[in-house]
Amino acid sequence: MEPSKQPPGRPRDGRVDDAIREAVRALVRENGYAALTMDAVAARARVGKAAIYRRHASRGELVFAALVHGREPQPLPDAGSLHGDLTALARLILGIFSDPVVEAATPGLLADLKQHPDTAARFRDTFIAGERGAVTNLLDRALARGELAERADPALVHSALLGTAFAWVFLLGRAPTPSLAPAIAALAVAAATAGPPQAPAPGRGGLQGGPTGQATNSSSP
């Protein structure tokens, strides 16, 4: 996340930043995202509310900054195969989602991001873009190994990883198991080898229509 603009004068005190982050995490863990207020964070962190607003313009931005701190994507070691590389990335994503604070905050945070486009854009441009860059690097490795005949669509592969992990933890409410990351990676490998998604033909509504207007499937026997 790019740093907030600091007015000229005394440099920002890193201890205040740390206190605010720890206060946010503790309060979300104890009371949930919906109950989080700037007043409560200021009281727990023992800082003035103005110090928080100098750093974060909204609750969503405040929580986002606390959750992604220290989670900047790092280069993944080469596992020797696309499936192995994507399994390692899936484990990282599941580890983030399994953090009790992340699990408690994410549904409310996503709702808040809808109301604050600037914060949503920073979320996409930092955390999501960082993960997308990692996926791109893994696909480039696979292409260099000869595992892929052509360059796969990083957005599609990333969606297979992130979307499946999100659905498992937040929509189904299930805890990750040791076999989940390899299974998610297998779905992502399938997405990588399927080729880029094709835009629907004009006037077809996304379905391949036959003469009678019914959908047809060229792979049907």
XYZ file of all heavy atoms in Angstrom, residues 73 124-135:
97
model
N 3.894 -9.517 -1.198
C 4.283 -10.768 -1.864
C 5.793 -10.858 -2.063
O 6.438 -9.890 -2.451
C 3.552 -10.691 -3.218
C 2.434 -9.731 -2.994
C 2.929 -8.740 -1.989
N -6.690 -3.022 -5.010
C -6.388 -3.722 -6.268
C -4.965 -3.456 -6.729
O -4.287 -4.358 -7.229
C -7.373 -3.284 -7.358
C -8.785 -3.795 -7.179
C -9.617 -3.539 -8.430
N -9.709 -2.118 -8.742
C -10.658 -1.321 -8.292
N -11.596 -1.788 -7.485
N -10.686 -0.043 -8.633
N -4.496 -2.221 -6.542
C -3.194 -1.825 -7.077
C -2.028 -2.298 -6.220
O -0.872 -2.198 -6.660
C -3.115 -0.301 -7.229
C -4.064 0.215 -8.302
O -4.534 -0.599 -9.115
O -4.350 1.429 -8.300
N -2.293 -2.756 -5.004
C -1.219 -3.212 -4.128
C -1.339 -4.712 -3.879
O -0.619 -5.514 -4.477
C -1.230 -2.427 -2.808
O -2.541 -2.516 -2.207
C -0.887 -0.966 -3.038
N -2.271 -5.103 -3.033
C -2.375 -6.508 -2.633
C -2.735 -7.407 -3.815
O -2.058 -8.407 -4.085
C -3.412 -6.644 -1.522
C -3.517 -8.034 -0.961
C -2.504 -8.556 -0.173
C -4.620 -8.821 -1.231
C -2.593 -9.841 0.333
C -4.718 -10.102 -0.730
C -3.706 -10.613 0.057
N -3.798 -7.060 -4.549
C -4.225 -7.898 -5.672
C -3.176 -7.881 -6.780
O -2.828 -8.928 -7.343
C -5.587 -7.430 -6.215
C -6.675 -7.576 -5.134
C -5.968 -8.225 -7.466
C -6.897 -8.983 -4.650
N -2.647 -6.696 -7.097
C -1.634 -6.612 -8.149
C -0.367 -7.376 -7.769
O 0.287 -7.985 -8.633
C -1.295 -5.155 -8.440
N -0.016 -7.365 -6.485
C 1.155 -8.113 -6.047
C 0.980 -9.606 -6.250
O 1.899 -10.299 -6.731
N -0.194 -10.117 -5.891
C -0.466 -11.536 -6.114
C -0.508 -11.846 -7.603
O -0.012 -12.885 -8.041
C -1.803 -11.932 -5.473
C -1.706 -12.273 -4.010
C -2.978 -12.906 -3.491
O -3.946 -13.077 -4.265
O -3.026 -13.220 -2.285
N -1.125 -10.945 -8.382
C -1.203 -11.175 -9.824
C 0.206 -11.226 -10.423
O 0.475 -12.016 -11.328
C -2.020 -10.049 -10.472
C -2.231 -10.170 -11.980
C -3.228 -11.253 -12.345
N -4.452 -11.114 -11.587
C -5.439 -10.253 -11.864
N -5.324 -9.443 -12.894
N -6.531 -10.223 -11.129
N 1.102 -10.389 -9.929
C 2.474 -10.428 -10.406
C 3.144 -11.750 -10.088
O 3.903 -12.289 -10.903
N 2.858 -12.299 -8.902
C 3.425 -13.599 -8.541
C 2.908 -14.687 -9.477
O 3.664 -15.560 -9.924
C 3.073 -13.938 -7.087
N 1.606 -14.649 -9.775
C 1.035 -15.622 -10.710
C 1.701 -15.504 -12.078
O 2.051 -16.511 -12.710
C -0.491 -15.421 -10.832
C -1.063 -16.258 -11.973
C -1.184 -15.778 -9.521
